[in-house]
Every structure is written in structure tokens, then in C-alpha cells.
Amino acid sequence: MFYLFTCSCSSQVDKSQLLPHLNAELEYRDPESQNVDNQILEEMNNFITQYASQVRSIIISRNGYIIFEKYYGNARKESVFAMRSVTKAVTGLLT
């Protein structure tokens, strides 16, 4: 099972209060340990790097563990993004 959590907010909002039950850090695991082929993730990363310059971050969680986390361009872990309706589109693809 894959989970997608996204959040868009202004810098004036205390982001730690948006989803207080998710404030705990998730543990990282090797994709292979969660039955995910690392080669597929590498291919995705290569595609994004070469062809999808508008992508700013990808975080993939499986079984409660982060198995892939990558930031592109000037994005960082602390960056805040305006998501609009992209969450619905991606979630619809996964269900």
C-alpha cells in the first residue's frame, strides 16, 4: 500500500499543527526490504531529472516506511509547495 500526503499552506501557518498525528518522523528503509524494485525508482528518478523539470519533490512511503525521498531544483525538505488539484489526480491514478 502506498500513501500520498500533500499539504499546501502559507509560510505564516504553523505547519506542525496541520497534521499533529503525523509529526513523528517516519523511518527510512531500503526499497528492496519493502518488496519494491529499486531499479524502477532509479528509472523514475532519471526520467524526472532529464524530462520533468517542474517536479520539485518525490516521497514514496510503503508499509509505513519512507523508501524514496528526493528533492529537485532548489527544493528542500523544508520547502512548502502550492499543490492545488494535483493530489486528487495522483491519488486517482493509484486507486
Side-chain angles (χ1 to χ4, degrees):
M1 179 180 303
F2 287 94
Y3 293 97
L4 173 67
F5 295 103
T6 61
C7 177
S8 176
C9 60
S10 73
S11 60
Q12 299 164 341
V13 174
D14 180 3
K15 295 171 213 54
S16 68
Q17 299 302 312
L18 293 175
L19 296 169
H21 60 287
L22 295 176
N23 279 342
E25 291 277 330
L26 292 177
E27 293 182 38
Y28 291 81
R29 290 287 189 264
D30 179 26
E32 304 282 340
S33 73
Q34 300 304 310
N35 297 318
V36 175
D37 185 355
N38 194 49
Q39 180 66 32
I40 293 172
L41 298 176
E42 289 177 21
E43 290 174 11
M44 175 193 67
N45 181 54
N46 291 337
F47 179 86
I48 291 169
T49 301
Q50 292 177 5
Y51 303 109
S53 62
Q54 71 278 14
V55 173
R56 295 292 171 247
S57 67
I58 299 285
I59 301 173
I60 300 175
S61 171
R62 176 143 168 97
N63 299 323
Y65 300 106
I66 294 176
I67 60 169
F68 184 86
E69 181 174 16
K70 177 78 176 180
Y71 299 91
Y72 304 90
N74 295 327
R76 302 288 175 263
K77 187 175 186 174
E78 299 79 21
S79 298
V80 177
F81 305 101
M83 297 300 295
R84 295 185 179 78
S85 292
V86 70
T87 305
K88 291 183 284 186
V90 172
T91 303
L93 290 171
L94 297 175
T95 58

